[in-house]
Amino acid sequence: MNDTPTALGGRRRFLKTTGLLSLAGMAPSLGRQALASTAPGPGSAQDIIMADALSLSNWIAQRQVSCREVMVAYLDHIERINPKVNAIVSLQERGGLLAQADQRDQQLKAGHYLGWMHGMPQAPKDLAATVGIVTTNGSPIFKDYLPKQDAIVVERVRQAGAILIGKTNTPEFGLGSHTYNSVFGTTGNAYQTDLCAGGSSGGAAVALATRMLPVADGSDMMGSLRNPGAFNNVYGFRPSQGRVPYGPSSEVFFQQMGYEGPMGRTVSDLAMLLSTQAGFDARTPLSIQQDPKQFAGKLQRNFKGTRIGWLGDYNGYLPMQAGIMDLCQTALKSFEAIGCTVEAAQPDYSMEQLWQTWLTLRHFTVAGTAQGLYAKPELHAQMKPEAIWEIAGGLSLSGAQIYQASINRSKWYESLRKLFETYDYLILPTAQVFPFAGTTHWPAEIAGRQMDTYHRWMEIVIGGSLAGLPVMNVPAGFNEAGLPMGLQIMGPAQADMAVLQLSYAYEQVTQWVQKHPPSLLS
């Protein structure tokens, strides 16, 4: 990133006299979101960990707080909170992290500012490759695996100045929306620690909700950014297909079902992280070439007259736990409060066919990435049954079946495209159940209907995944038991900015994250 144009002594005087305006000279990549943040400086370690990411970034850039102070505050907080939730794993040695923080302070002192994440602690999801930190994928097979190359999203946050303190927990190979594995154990929900945190970015969502990270990355194939966002009252965004390049990977054309994205406690923080994650990379030829700096821009927008289609439970097709539909329909009033009109809408498509399409393409994708492990029978005992079922299912498919599923997927996209000729956005609940017992592998039934696979209870998220559309989880509130739920806001193809803007407007009306922090923090 850009160095400051002033000498060190002049820079100190410049910072002192011009405050936030100094950021414009230091790092244009901060964008208008950061420059608009006017939160006062920190008075305590508690102020540091409770701050939104953009305020923390500004404090560091202005040297109102040192990177060492930030690191100490976060590590002390992690030491107190993480044993209760088990969200951060492979935590690195304190002395080494403090040495990295000192180095970031020396860089600032010398006028070398790396970017908006300069000195901020980060813990990538344990599916993302990290040089120097084990990447287990939640599997005992990889419990000692040290990658030789960072994932692209990891490269980019390092370049923006982040310090990697460890990883966030994930289910084995990211399969299932319940974060447990035989390497690190189970991650507890931020609001009730004996309940499921969601997944597969469960560790990321809980670390974020409990203020152990300022922002978090995750990945999403079957709601893995959205579901844990809903279960932990934070924002999780599955971007448009190709928006955040996934890799480096040995296969760059068919792996289009799951990819990475940002999570945040505010939409502005999330958008800023997306501006770092997004952008074309020649190693992933299908990545989108639009300038990612747009996401660091203005999120305010007038939504008067905006039309929203409410998909709900697809006319009763999906079973829903009692209370979810009522809670989500109440949350729709917040969209009306900002000028939107909301009406019931349904795609012209067989939802059972959509599920069968999902099964085929998920089998195909999982088998493609893991068939090398499956080919070694001695490893089967170290793989959970759901992984073996997915791989075996994929290996049994014919090329004709896979191609037909791709055709069906294309027809589903077309049915949503036609809906977007009438509606600006589509909205539906994020999950079909509230957070459940952490000792339960997955819900066996919902509202009296049996679940025939380990992931059938997550069916509500597959529409956005199969269409490759931008989808944001926004908090929808809490049930009588104090358990959170979320809504999915879905936009047309590559309308990521529009989804962020509607989410931001909704956030200003609701403020669920700020008004309802986890009791662990008190």
Side-chain angles (χ1 to χ4, degrees):
M1 299 297 174
N2 294 339
D3 291 345
T4 57
T6 58
L8 181 56
R11 176 181 176 278
R12 286 176 176 155
R13 292 189 295 273
F14 186 61
L15 286 169
K16 184 176 180 180
T17 57
T18 62
L20 282 174
L21 292 177
S22 67
L23 293 177
M26 290 180 66
S29 61
L30 276 170
R32 286 169 285 175
Q33 296 289 338
L35 295 176
S37 179
T38 57
S44 67
Q46 184 74 359
D47 291 337
I48 291 173
I49 63 168
M50 293 300 290
D52 61 81
L54 287 173
S55 293
L56 180 61
S57 175
N58 287 339
W59 295 343
I60 292 171
Q62 296 177 65
R63 296 173 66 186
Q64 291 180 279
V65 62
S66 70
C67 298
R68 171 176 270 265
E69 289 171 320
V70 170
M71 186 60 69
V72 168
Y74 269 95
L75 292 180
D76 287 350
H77 184 65
I78 290 168
E79 185 176 316
R80 182 172 73 89
I81 296 294
N82 198 51
K84 302 175 183 179
V85 292
N86 191 37
I88 294 179
V89 297
S90 301
L91 184 65
Q92 300 298 283
E93 189 266 330
R94 177 181 281 251
L97 294 175
L98 291 178
Q100 292 183 62
D102 288 341
Q103 182 183 36
R104 289 288 186 271
D105 282 327
Q106 289 300 314
Q107 289 170 324
L108 277 180
K109 185 177 181 180
H112 184 52
Y113 184 70
L114 296 179
W116 81 278
M117 301 185 81
H118 189 108
M120 290 171 59
Q122 279 296 283
K125 184 176 177 180
D126 203 19
L127 297 182
T130 46
V131 173
I133 304 177
V134 292
T135 300
T136 75
N137 297 284
S139 167
I141 298 171
F142 294 102
K143 64 182 177 64
D144 299 315
Y145 173 58
L146 279 170
K148 296 180 180 180
Q149 187 173 16
D150 281 334
I152 293 172
V153 291
V154 174
E155 286 180 358
R156 290 180 173 184
V157 297
R158 284 196 203 262
Q159 290 166 1
I163 298 173
L164 304 191
I165 64 171
K167 307 296 283 285
T168 53
N169 203 20
T170 184
E172 182 180 319
F173 303 128
L175 298 176
S177 194
H178 182 5
T179 300
Y180 68 93
N181 59 65
S182 61
V183 182
F184 297 113
T186 302
T187 296
N189 189 281
Y191 285 83
Q192 191 168 323
T193 59
D194 61 342
L195 299 184
C196 170
S200 60
S201 307
V206 173
L208 185 63
T210 57
R211 277 62 176 176
M212 293 191 288
L213 293 174
V215 286
D217 68 76
S219 54
D220 187 312
M221 176 185 269
M222 195 176 182
S224 292
L225 281 158
R226 294 162 281 164
N227 179 270
F231 276 18
N232 295 281
N233 191 42
V234 294
Y235 296 88
F237 185 49
R238 177 186 165 98
S240 290
Q241 179 176 309
R243 177 69 64 193
V244 175
Y246 177 79
S249 173
S250 59
E251 198 291 303
V252 296
F253 291 104
F254 287 105
Q255 299 298 331
Q256 293 294 299
M257 293 274 281
Y259 41 81
E260 290 141 326
M263 305 184 86
R265 292 189 299 270
T266 72
V267 177
S268 296
D269 286 351
L270 181 152
M272 196 66 184
L273 180 56
L274 181 62
S275 75
T276 299
Q277 295 176 330
F280 178 75
D281 188 293
R283 293 168 291 182
T284 59
L286 302 184
S287 53
I288 296 172
Q289 297 218 23
Q290 295 171 0
D291 188 352
K293 291 182 181 178
Q294 64 179 299
F295 304 118
K298 184 178 179 180
L299 294 178
Q300 295 89 347
R301 182 178 142 194
N302 186 343
F303 283 93
K304 186 177 181 180
T306 296
R307 299 192 65 184
I308 291 176
W310 166 242
L311 301 181
D313 58 5
Y314 293 115
N315 275 343
Y317 167 78
L318 293 174
M320 307 290 290
Q321 185 176 343
I324 290 179
M325 289 294 286
D326 290 342
L327 186 62
C328 290
Q329 286 171 326
T330 298
L332 294 177
K333 296 176 183 178
S334 295
F335 293 98
E336 295 172 345
I338 60 175
C340 302
T341 60
V342 182
E343 60 185 73
Q346 288 300 311
D348 182 16
Y349 197 89
S350 164
M351 301 310 297
E352 180 58 33
Q353 178 173 282
L354 188 69
W355 176 249
Q356 294 303 319
T357 298
W358 176 259
L359 285 182
T360 297
L361 294 177
R362 183 175 170 96
H363 277 333
F364 163 63
T365 302
V366 174
T369 57
Q371 60 181 319
L373 300 177
Y374 186 78
K376 300 176 181 179
E378 66 274 15
L379 296 181
H380 289 194
Q382 298 183 67
M383 301 168 68
K384 67 180 184 180
E386 293 85 355
I388 291 175
W389 174 76
E390 290 276 19
I391 299 167
L395 295 177
S396 70
L397 293 169
S398 69
Q401 288 174 307
I402 296 167
Y403 192 79
Q404 183 59 51
S406 187
I407 290 174
N408 293 341
R409 181 186 187 186
S410 302
K411 290 178 179 178
W412 167 247
Y413 171 81
E414 180 63 15
S415 71
L416 292 184
R417 190 192 66 78
K418 288 181 178 178
L419 270 184
F420 282 119
E421 292 177 353
T422 301
Y423 302 103
D424 301 296
Y425 301 88
L426 300 173
I427 292 181
L428 68 167
T430 301
Q432 295 166 242
V433 296
F434 287 104
F436 51 88
T439 54
T440 301
H441 290 296
W442 43 274
E445 62 89 20
I446 302 175
R449 197 180 306 180
Q450 296 300 306
M451 300 291 100
D452 56 358
T453 74
Y454 79 102
H455 51 17
R456 189 73 185 244
W457 64 277
M458 301 154 54
E459 189 171 357
I460 199 164
V461 300
I462 68 172
S465 296
L466 282 171
L469 301 178
V471 193
M472 173 80 89
N473 169 77
V474 297
F478 295 76
N479 68 2
E480 293 181 354
L483 300 179
M485 183 44 57
L487 285 168
Q488 297 179 79
I489 300 176
M490 186 185 306
Q494 299 193 23
D496 301 60
M497 189 62 171
V499 172
L500 292 172
Q501 289 172 327
L502 180 60
S503 302
Y504 177 83
Y506 172 87
E507 176 189 25
Q508 305 317 299
V509 175
T510 58
Q511 294 291 312
W512 284 114
V513 178
Q514 289 69 31
K515 292 179 180 178
H516 295 272
S519 61
L520 284 175
L521 299 176
S522 58

PDB file of all heavy atoms in Angstrom, residues 221 241 246 249-259 285-286 361-362 364-366 368-369 399 402-403 406 409:
ATOM      1  N   MET A 221     -20.893 -22.977   0.888  1.00  0.00           N
ATOM      2  CA  MET A 221     -21.459 -23.812  -0.156  1.00  0.00           C
ATOM      3  C   MET A 221     -22.956 -23.961   0.087  1.00  0.00           C
ATOM      4  O   MET A 221     -23.774 -23.618  -0.749  1.00  0.00           O
ATOM      5  CB  MET A 221     -20.801 -25.194  -0.213  1.00  0.00           C
ATOM      6  CG  MET A 221     -21.441 -26.124  -1.245  1.00  0.00           C
ATOM      7  SD  MET A 221     -20.792 -27.819  -1.244  1.00  0.00           S
ATOM      8  CE  MET A 221     -19.480 -27.664  -2.436  1.00  0.00           C
ATOM      9  N   GLN A 241     -21.100 -15.416  -7.453  1.00  0.00           N
ATOM     10  CA  GLN A 241     -20.128 -16.381  -7.940  1.00  0.00           C
ATOM     11  C   GLN A 241     -19.019 -15.660  -8.699  1.00  0.00           C
ATOM     12  O   GLN A 241     -19.284 -14.883  -9.620  1.00  0.00           O
ATOM     13  CB  GLN A 241     -20.843 -17.366  -8.863  1.00  0.00           C
ATOM     14  CG  GLN A 241     -19.962 -18.424  -9.478  1.00  0.00           C
ATOM     15  CD  GLN A 241     -20.782 -19.418 -10.297  1.00  0.00           C
ATOM     16  OE1 GLN A 241     -21.776 -19.963  -9.823  1.00  0.00           O
ATOM     17  NE2 GLN A 241     -20.378 -19.626 -11.530  1.00  0.00           N
ATOM     18  N   TYR A 246     -11.520 -17.991  -5.557  1.00  0.00           N
ATOM     19  CA  TYR A 246     -11.259 -19.134  -4.690  1.00  0.00           C
ATOM     20  C   TYR A 246     -10.034 -19.880  -5.205  1.00  0.00           C
ATOM     21  O   TYR A 246      -9.986 -20.324  -6.348  1.00  0.00           O
ATOM     22  CB  TYR A 246     -12.466 -20.073  -4.668  1.00  0.00           C
ATOM     23  CG  TYR A 246     -12.240 -21.313  -3.849  1.00  0.00           C
ATOM     24  CD1 TYR A 246     -12.333 -21.264  -2.468  1.00  0.00           C
ATOM     25  CD2 TYR A 246     -11.912 -22.527  -4.457  1.00  0.00           C
ATOM     26  CE1 TYR A 246     -12.110 -22.400  -1.706  1.00  0.00           C
ATOM     27  CE2 TYR A 246     -11.699 -23.661  -3.704  1.00  0.00           C
ATOM     28  CZ  TYR A 246     -11.793 -23.597  -2.327  1.00  0.00           C
ATOM     29  OH  TYR A 246     -11.573 -24.727  -1.577  1.00  0.00           O
ATOM     30  N   SER A 249      -6.096 -23.286  -6.631  1.00  0.00           N
ATOM     31  CA  SER A 249      -6.721 -24.596  -6.681  1.00  0.00           C
ATOM     32  C   SER A 249      -6.258 -25.347  -7.917  1.00  0.00           C
ATOM     33  O   SER A 249      -5.941 -24.739  -8.943  1.00  0.00           O
ATOM     34  CB  SER A 249      -8.247 -24.428  -6.713  1.00  0.00           C
ATOM     35  OG  SER A 249      -8.895 -25.658  -6.915  1.00  0.00           O
ATOM     36  N   SER A 250      -6.238 -26.659  -7.800  1.00  0.00           N
ATOM     37  CA  SER A 250      -5.836 -27.482  -8.942  1.00  0.00           C
ATOM     38  C   SER A 250      -6.929 -27.538 -10.000  1.00  0.00           C
ATOM     39  O   SER A 250      -6.685 -27.949 -11.126  1.00  0.00           O
ATOM     40  CB  SER A 250      -5.502 -28.904  -8.478  1.00  0.00           C
ATOM     41  OG  SER A 250      -6.637 -29.491  -7.845  1.00  0.00           O
ATOM     42  N   GLU A 251      -8.152 -27.113  -9.648  1.00  0.00           N
ATOM     43  CA  GLU A 251      -9.287 -27.126 -10.587  1.00  0.00           C
ATOM     44  C   GLU A 251      -9.962 -25.764 -10.519  1.00  0.00           C
ATOM     45  O   GLU A 251     -10.343 -25.304  -9.450  1.00  0.00           O
ATOM     46  CB  GLU A 251     -10.264 -28.246 -10.192  1.00  0.00           C
ATOM     47  CG  GLU A 251     -11.223 -28.661 -11.286  1.00  0.00           C
ATOM     48  CD  GLU A 251     -12.249 -27.602 -11.601  1.00  0.00           C
ATOM     49  OE1 GLU A 251     -12.985 -27.181 -10.688  1.00  0.00           O
ATOM     50  OE2 GLU A 251     -12.303 -27.161 -12.781  1.00  0.00           O
ATOM     51  N   VAL A 252     -10.105 -25.084 -11.651  1.00  0.00           N
ATOM     52  CA  VAL A 252     -10.576 -23.697 -11.623  1.00  0.00           C
ATOM     53  C   VAL A 252     -11.851 -23.457 -12.434  1.00  0.00           C
ATOM     54  O   VAL A 252     -12.272 -22.307 -12.580  1.00  0.00           O
ATOM     55  CB  VAL A 252      -9.471 -22.737 -12.129  1.00  0.00           C
ATOM     56  CG1 VAL A 252      -8.271 -22.771 -11.198  1.00  0.00           C
ATOM     57  CG2 VAL A 252      -9.062 -23.071 -13.560  1.00  0.00           C
ATOM     58  N   PHE A 253     -12.497 -24.506 -12.931  1.00  0.00           N
ATOM     59  CA  PHE A 253     -13.677 -24.300 -13.754  1.00  0.00           C
ATOM     60  C   PHE A 253     -14.962 -24.893 -13.168  1.00  0.00           C
ATOM     61  O   PHE A 253     -16.034 -24.322 -13.307  1.00  0.00           O
ATOM     62  CB  PHE A 253     -13.454 -24.856 -15.162  1.00  0.00           C
ATOM     63  CG  PHE A 253     -12.456 -24.063 -15.952  1.00  0.00           C
ATOM     64  CD1 PHE A 253     -11.175 -24.538 -16.155  1.00  0.00           C
ATOM     65  CD2 PHE A 253     -12.783 -22.824 -16.481  1.00  0.00           C
ATOM     66  CE1 PHE A 253     -10.243 -23.812 -16.863  1.00  0.00           C
ATOM     67  CE2 PHE A 253     -11.861 -22.076 -17.199  1.00  0.00           C
ATOM     68  CZ  PHE A 253     -10.584 -22.576 -17.386  1.00  0.00           C
ATOM     69  N   PHE A 254     -14.880 -26.045 -12.495  1.00  0.00           N
ATOM     70  CA  PHE A 254     -16.089 -26.693 -11.995  1.00  0.00           C
ATOM     71  C   PHE A 254     -16.376 -26.401 -10.526  1.00  0.00           C
ATOM     72  O   PHE A 254     -17.502 -26.586 -10.076  1.00  0.00           O
ATOM     73  CB  PHE A 254     -16.005 -28.213 -12.204  1.00  0.00           C
ATOM     74  CG  PHE A 254     -16.173 -28.633 -13.625  1.00  0.00           C
ATOM     75  CD1 PHE A 254     -15.081 -29.050 -14.368  1.00  0.00           C
ATOM     76  CD2 PHE A 254     -17.413 -28.593 -14.241  1.00  0.00           C
ATOM     77  CE1 PHE A 254     -15.229 -29.432 -15.696  1.00  0.00           C
ATOM     78  CE2 PHE A 254     -17.572 -28.965 -15.564  1.00  0.00           C
ATOM     79  CZ  PHE A 254     -16.480 -29.389 -16.296  1.00  0.00           C
ATOM     80  N   GLN A 255     -15.367 -25.936  -9.769  1.00  0.00           N
ATOM     81  CA  GLN A 255     -15.581 -25.703  -8.332  1.00  0.00           C
ATOM     82  C   GLN A 255     -16.291 -24.369  -8.122  1.00  0.00           C
ATOM     83  O   GLN A 255     -15.730 -23.406  -7.634  1.00  0.00           O
ATOM     84  CB  GLN A 255     -14.246 -25.736  -7.595  1.00  0.00           C
ATOM     85  CG  GLN A 255     -13.524 -27.053  -7.696  1.00  0.00           C
ATOM     86  CD  GLN A 255     -14.301 -28.204  -7.076  1.00  0.00           C
ATOM     87  OE1 GLN A 255     -15.073 -27.998  -6.153  1.00  0.00           O
ATOM     88  NE2 GLN A 255     -14.107 -29.404  -7.583  1.00  0.00           N
ATOM     89  N   GLN A 256     -17.553 -24.336  -8.487  1.00  0.00           N
ATOM     90  CA  GLN A 256     -18.314 -23.086  -8.420  1.00  0.00           C
ATOM     91  C   GLN A 256     -19.480 -23.159  -7.448  1.00  0.00           C
ATOM     92  O   GLN A 256     -20.339 -22.285  -7.440  1.00  0.00           O
ATOM     93  CB  GLN A 256     -18.838 -22.735  -9.810  1.00  0.00           C
ATOM     94  CG  GLN A 256     -17.749 -22.380 -10.800  1.00  0.00           C
ATOM     95  CD  GLN A 256     -17.039 -21.085 -10.414  1.00  0.00           C
ATOM     96  OE1 GLN A 256     -17.658 -20.045 -10.335  1.00  0.00           O
ATOM     97  NE2 GLN A 256     -15.745 -21.168 -10.173  1.00  0.00           N
ATOM     98  N   MET A 257     -19.530 -24.169  -6.600  1.00  0.00           N
ATOM     99  CA  MET A 257     -20.625 -24.297  -5.637  1.00  0.00           C
ATOM    100  C   MET A 257     -20.311 -23.581  -4.323  1.00  0.00           C
ATOM    101  O   MET A 257     -21.187 -22.993  -3.700  1.00  0.00           O
ATOM    102  CB  MET A 257     -20.889 -25.778  -5.353  1.00  0.00           C
ATOM    103  CG  MET A 257     -21.449 -26.532  -6.550  1.00  0.00           C
ATOM    104  SD  MET A 257     -23.232 -26.411  -6.648  1.00  0.00           S
ATOM    105  CE  MET A 257     -23.690 -27.622  -5.408  1.00  0.00           C
ATOM    106  N   GLY A 258     -19.069 -23.653  -3.890  1.00  0.00           N
ATOM    107  CA  GLY A 258     -18.682 -23.030  -2.629  1.00  0.00           C
ATOM    108  C   GLY A 258     -17.504 -22.098  -2.825  1.00  0.00           C
ATOM    109  O   GLY A 258     -16.596 -22.397  -3.597  1.00  0.00           O
ATOM    110  N   TYR A 259     -17.527 -20.970  -2.125  1.00  0.00           N
ATOM    111  CA  TYR A 259     -16.421 -20.026  -2.193  1.00  0.00           C
ATOM    112  C   TYR A 259     -16.474 -19.113  -0.972  1.00  0.00           C
ATOM    113  O   TYR A 259     -17.388 -19.199  -0.151  1.00  0.00           O
ATOM    114  CB  TYR A 259     -16.452 -19.212  -3.488  1.00  0.00           C
ATOM    115  CG  TYR A 259     -17.817 -18.743  -3.920  1.00  0.00           C
ATOM    116  CD1 TYR A 259     -18.408 -17.611  -3.371  1.00  0.00           C
ATOM    117  CD2 TYR A 259     -18.536 -19.444  -4.890  1.00  0.00           C
ATOM    118  CE1 TYR A 259     -19.663 -17.188  -3.764  1.00  0.00           C
ATOM    119  CE2 TYR A 259     -19.796 -19.027  -5.289  1.00  0.00           C
ATOM    120  CZ  TYR A 259     -20.353 -17.896  -4.728  1.00  0.00           C
ATOM    121  OH  TYR A 259     -21.600 -17.473  -5.113  1.00  0.00           O
ATOM    122  N   PRO A 285      -9.682 -17.904 -13.500  1.00  0.00           N
ATOM    123  CA  PRO A 285     -10.125 -17.188 -14.704  1.00  0.00           C
ATOM    124  C   PRO A 285     -11.589 -16.778 -14.706  1.00  0.00           C
ATOM    125  O   PRO A 285     -11.977 -15.916 -15.497  1.00  0.00           O
ATOM    126  CB  PRO A 285      -9.826 -18.186 -15.829  1.00  0.00           C
ATOM    127  CG  PRO A 285      -9.797 -19.522 -15.164  1.00  0.00           C
ATOM    128  CD  PRO A 285      -9.230 -19.274 -13.801  1.00  0.00           C
ATOM    129  N   LEU A 286     -12.420 -17.370 -13.850  1.00  0.00           N
ATOM    130  CA  LEU A 286     -13.829 -16.995 -13.802  1.00  0.00           C
ATOM    131  C   LEU A 286     -14.115 -15.917 -12.761  1.00  0.00           C
ATOM    132  O   LEU A 286     -15.271 -15.557 -12.535  1.00  0.00           O
ATOM    133  CB  LEU A 286     -14.694 -18.234 -13.516  1.00  0.00           C
ATOM    134  CG  LEU A 286     -14.569 -19.389 -14.521  1.00  0.00           C
ATOM    135  CD1 LEU A 286     -15.540 -20.511 -14.174  1.00  0.00           C
ATOM    136  CD2 LEU A 286     -14.811 -18.903 -15.952  1.00  0.00           C
ATOM    137  N   LEU A 361     -25.191 -32.261  -7.701  1.00  0.00           N
ATOM    138  CA  LEU A 361     -24.041 -31.381  -7.883  1.00  0.00           C
ATOM    139  C   LEU A 361     -23.163 -31.307  -6.632  1.00  0.00           C
ATOM    140  O   LEU A 361     -21.945 -31.157  -6.730  1.00  0.00           O
ATOM    141  CB  LEU A 361     -24.513 -29.986  -8.299  1.00  0.00           C
ATOM    142  CG  LEU A 361     -25.170 -29.927  -9.683  1.00  0.00           C
ATOM    143  CD1 LEU A 361     -25.681 -28.534  -9.994  1.00  0.00           C
ATOM    144  CD2 LEU A 361     -24.204 -30.400 -10.771  1.00  0.00           C
ATOM    145  N   ARG A 362     -23.773 -31.437  -5.463  1.00  0.00           N
ATOM    146  CA  ARG A 362     -22.956 -31.457  -4.243  1.00  0.00           C
ATOM    147  C   ARG A 362     -22.157 -32.750  -4.176  1.00  0.00           C
ATOM    148  O   ARG A 362     -20.960 -32.734  -3.860  1.00  0.00           O
ATOM    149  CB  ARG A 362     -23.847 -31.300  -3.008  1.00  0.00           C
ATOM    150  CG  ARG A 362     -23.051 -31.245  -1.696  1.00  0.00           C
ATOM    151  CD  ARG A 362     -23.988 -30.969  -0.529  1.00  0.00           C
ATOM    152  NE  ARG A 362     -23.338 -31.136   0.751  1.00  0.00           N
ATOM    153  CZ  ARG A 362     -22.795 -30.161   1.482  1.00  0.00           C
ATOM    154  NH1 ARG A 362     -22.789 -28.923   1.015  1.00  0.00           N
ATOM    155  NH2 ARG A 362     -22.248 -30.407   2.656  1.00  0.00           N
ATOM    156  N   PHE A 364     -21.135 -34.497  -6.651  1.00  0.00           N
ATOM    157  CA  PHE A 364     -20.115 -34.358  -7.690  1.00  0.00           C
ATOM    158  C   PHE A 364     -18.944 -33.494  -7.203  1.00  0.00           C
ATOM    159  O   PHE A 364     -17.766 -33.851  -7.367  1.00  0.00           O
ATOM    160  CB  PHE A 364     -20.762 -33.734  -8.932  1.00  0.00           C
ATOM    161  CG  PHE A 364     -19.803 -33.164  -9.945  1.00  0.00           C
ATOM    162  CD1 PHE A 364     -18.900 -33.977 -10.611  1.00  0.00           C
ATOM    163  CD2 PHE A 364     -19.818 -31.809 -10.248  1.00  0.00           C
ATOM    164  CE1 PHE A 364     -18.030 -33.447 -11.561  1.00  0.00           C
ATOM    165  CE2 PHE A 364     -18.955 -31.268 -11.183  1.00  0.00           C
ATOM    166  CZ  PHE A 364     -18.061 -32.087 -11.845  1.00  0.00           C
ATOM    167  N   THR A 365     -19.274 -32.361  -6.571  1.00  0.00           N
ATOM    168  CA  THR A 365     -18.242 -31.439  -6.117  1.00  0.00           C
ATOM    169  C   THR A 365     -17.414 -32.024  -4.972  1.00  0.00           C
ATOM    170  O   THR A 365     -16.175 -31.960  -4.982  1.00  0.00           O
ATOM    171  CB  THR A 365     -18.881 -30.113  -5.672  1.00  0.00           C
ATOM    172  OG1 THR A 365     -19.616 -29.557  -6.762  1.00  0.00           O
ATOM    173  CG2 THR A 365     -17.820 -29.124  -5.226  1.00  0.00           C
ATOM    174  N   VAL A 366     -18.087 -32.593  -3.975  1.00  0.00           N
ATOM    175  CA  VAL A 366     -17.370 -33.151  -2.830  1.00  0.00           C
ATOM    176  C   VAL A 366     -16.508 -34.333  -3.265  1.00  0.00           C
ATOM    177  O   VAL A 366     -15.343 -34.461  -2.856  1.00  0.00           O
ATOM    178  CB  VAL A 366     -18.353 -33.567  -1.718  1.00  0.00           C
ATOM    179  CG1 VAL A 366     -17.610 -34.277  -0.591  1.00  0.00           C
ATOM    180  CG2 VAL A 366     -19.090 -32.348  -1.176  1.00  0.00           C
ATOM    181  N   GLY A 368     -15.246 -34.848  -6.163  1.00  0.00           N
ATOM    182  CA  GLY A 368     -14.127 -34.369  -6.966  1.00  0.00           C
ATOM    183  C   GLY A 368     -12.965 -33.898  -6.123  1.00  0.00           C
ATOM    184  O   GLY A 368     -11.796 -34.135  -6.469  1.00  0.00           O
ATOM    185  N   THR A 369     -13.261 -33.253  -5.005  1.00  0.00           N
ATOM    186  CA  THR A 369     -12.189 -32.712  -4.168  1.00  0.00           C
ATOM    187  C   THR A 369     -11.601 -33.742  -3.214  1.00  0.00           C
ATOM    188  O   THR A 369     -10.457 -33.590  -2.776  1.00  0.00           O
ATOM    189  CB  THR A 369     -12.710 -31.516  -3.350  1.00  0.00           C
ATOM    190  OG1 THR A 369     -13.838 -31.927  -2.569  1.00  0.00           O
ATOM    191  CG2 THR A 369     -13.137 -30.383  -4.261  1.00  0.00           C
ATOM    192  N   GLY A 399     -21.752 -39.097 -16.207  1.00  0.00           N
ATOM    193  CA  GLY A 399     -21.582 -37.776 -16.802  1.00  0.00           C
ATOM    194  C   GLY A 399     -22.909 -37.194 -17.254  1.00  0.00           C
ATOM    195  O   GLY A 399     -23.138 -35.984 -17.112  1.00  0.00           O
ATOM    196  N   ILE A 402     -24.765 -35.661 -14.282  1.00  0.00           N
ATOM    197  CA  ILE A 402     -24.179 -34.392 -13.856  1.00  0.00           C
ATOM    198  C   ILE A 402     -24.556 -33.279 -14.833  1.00  0.00           C
ATOM    199  O   ILE A 402     -24.922 -32.165 -14.423  1.00  0.00           O
ATOM    200  CB  ILE A 402     -22.650 -34.528 -13.737  1.00  0.00           C
ATOM    201  CG1 ILE A 402     -22.299 -35.530 -12.644  1.00  0.00           C
ATOM    202  CG2 ILE A 402     -22.003 -33.173 -13.462  1.00  0.00           C
ATOM    203  CD1 ILE A 402     -20.848 -35.969 -12.662  1.00  0.00           C
ATOM    204  N   TYR A 403     -24.520 -33.580 -16.108  1.00  0.00           N
ATOM    205  CA  TYR A 403     -24.859 -32.562 -17.104  1.00  0.00           C
ATOM    206  C   TYR A 403     -26.330 -32.167 -16.992  1.00  0.00           C
ATOM    207  O   TYR A 403     -26.676 -30.981 -17.081  1.00  0.00           O
ATOM    208  CB  TYR A 403     -24.549 -33.061 -18.513  1.00  0.00           C
ATOM    209  CG  TYR A 403     -24.605 -31.975 -19.551  1.00  0.00           C
ATOM    210  CD1 TYR A 403     -23.537 -31.088 -19.695  1.00  0.00           C
ATOM    211  CD2 TYR A 403     -25.717 -31.814 -20.375  1.00  0.00           C
ATOM    212  CE1 TYR A 403     -23.584 -30.071 -20.634  1.00  0.00           C
ATOM    213  CE2 TYR A 403     -25.773 -30.797 -21.311  1.00  0.00           C
ATOM    214  CZ  TYR A 403     -24.698 -29.930 -21.442  1.00  0.00           C
ATOM    215  OH  TYR A 403     -24.746 -28.912 -22.369  1.00  0.00           O
ATOM    216  N   SER A 406     -26.792 -29.828 -14.240  1.00  0.00           N
ATOM    217  CA  SER A 406     -26.351 -28.490 -14.598  1.00  0.00           C
ATOM    218  C   SER A 406     -27.414 -27.770 -15.420  1.00  0.00           C
ATOM    219  O   SER A 406     -27.633 -26.558 -15.271  1.00  0.00           O
ATOM    220  CB  SER A 406     -25.032 -28.558 -15.361  1.00  0.00           C
ATOM    221  OG  SER A 406     -24.504 -27.261 -15.581  1.00  0.00           O
ATOM    222  N   ARG A 409     -30.016 -26.731 -12.966  1.00  0.00           N
ATOM    223  CA  ARG A 409     -29.515 -25.563 -12.237  1.00  0.00           C
ATOM    224  C   ARG A 409     -29.696 -24.297 -13.069  1.00  0.00           C
ATOM    225  O   ARG A 409     -30.101 -23.242 -12.548  1.00  0.00           O
ATOM    226  CB  ARG A 409     -28.039 -25.772 -11.895  1.00  0.00           C
ATOM    227  CG  ARG A 409     -27.407 -24.633 -11.122  1.00  0.00           C
ATOM    228  CD  ARG A 409     -25.897 -24.846 -10.953  1.00  0.00           C
ATOM    229  NE  ARG A 409     -25.321 -23.835 -10.068  1.00  0.00           N
ATOM    230  CZ  ARG A 409     -24.024 -23.703  -9.827  1.00  0.00           C
ATOM    231  NH1 ARG A 409     -23.151 -24.531 -10.420  1.00  0.00           N
ATOM    232  NH2 ARG A 409     -23.578 -22.768  -9.014  1.00  0.00           N
TER     233      ARG A 409
END
